[in-house]
């Protein structure tokens, strides 16, 4: 089971340099989020695991392109929470992480245009 991709789109029509890595760093600090060290990190793609360390986990793939950041959630194993609730939890954490990251960028750049979810 997987979610529809969520895209963070920027008014500047490009992903601001440093935004992607700061977003990853902000998510890593949140409870239940950890980087998947089993996979090789790439400069434009990262896998983050969501869930309790010793319990079932869901996988979040975050990738950067020139114009947006794409987030996709994949159900890896059954979990006591419904997949919809997991996606909502991750979405709320992303909103918090984005607010934290936005402080690194000048306020006059109007960094985030919108979240866009493809169905």
């Amino acid at each position: 089971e997987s979610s529809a991709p969520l895209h963070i789109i920027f008014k500047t029509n490009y992903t601001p340099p440093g935004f992607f890595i700061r977003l990853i760093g902000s998510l890593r600090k949140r409870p239940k989020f950890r980087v998947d060290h089993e996979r090789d990190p790439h400069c434009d793609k990262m896998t983050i695991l969501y869930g309790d360390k010793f319990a079932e986990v869901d996988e979040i793939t975050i990738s950067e392109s020139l114009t947006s950041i794409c987030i996709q959630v994949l159900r890896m194993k059954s979990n006591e929470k419904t997949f919809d609730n997991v996606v909502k939890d991750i979405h709320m954490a992303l909103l918090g992480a984005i607010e934290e990251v936005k402080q690194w960028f000048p306020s006059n750049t109007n960094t985030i245009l919108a979240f866009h979810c493809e169905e």
Side-chain angles (χ1 to χ4, degrees):
E1 192 173 6
S2 69
S3 68
L6 176 71
H7 295 271
I8 303 170
I9 302 168
F10 302 89
K11 284 186 178 179
T12 55
N13 289 324
Y14 67 89
T15 302
F19 194 95
F20 174 76
I21 198 68
R22 284 192 168 102
L23 181 64
I24 298 295
S26 180
L27 283 174
R28 284 184 55 197
K29 295 187 291 185
R30 294 177 176 341
K32 297 188 178 187
F33 288 84
R34 61 191 187 281
V35 172
D36 183 355
H37 293 291
E38 301 283 322
R39 299 178 191 204
D40 293 331
H42 301 280
C43 63
D44 61 351
K45 185 176 181 180
M46 183 73 67
T47 300
I48 294 181
L49 302 176
Y50 173 80
D52 294 321
K53 188 170 186 170
F54 301 106
E56 310 301 339
V57 297
D58 295 290
E59 183 178 289
I60 307 163
T61 302
I62 304 174
S63 55
E64 176 184 39
S65 71
L66 291 175
T67 59
S68 67
I69 294 175
C70 179
I71 298 106
Q72 185 147 19
V73 182
L74 178 64
R75 165 84 4 132
M76 297 302 291
K77 299 178 183 175
S78 63
N79 193 318
E80 73 276 356
K81 281 185 148 184
T82 66
F83 189 60
D84 285 345
N85 284 339
V86 167
V87 171
K88 286 177 187 174
D89 289 351
I90 292 169
H91 184 256
M92 292 305 296
L94 278 166
L95 290 174
I98 288 168
E99 286 304 312
E100 183 178 317
V101 172
K102 282 171 61 173
Q103 70 183 327
W104 289 92
F105 297 89
S107 59
N108 61 355
T109 60
N110 296 319
T111 308
I112 302 297
L113 176 61
F115 276 118
H116 172 67
C117 188
E118 293 178 354
E119 293 295 336

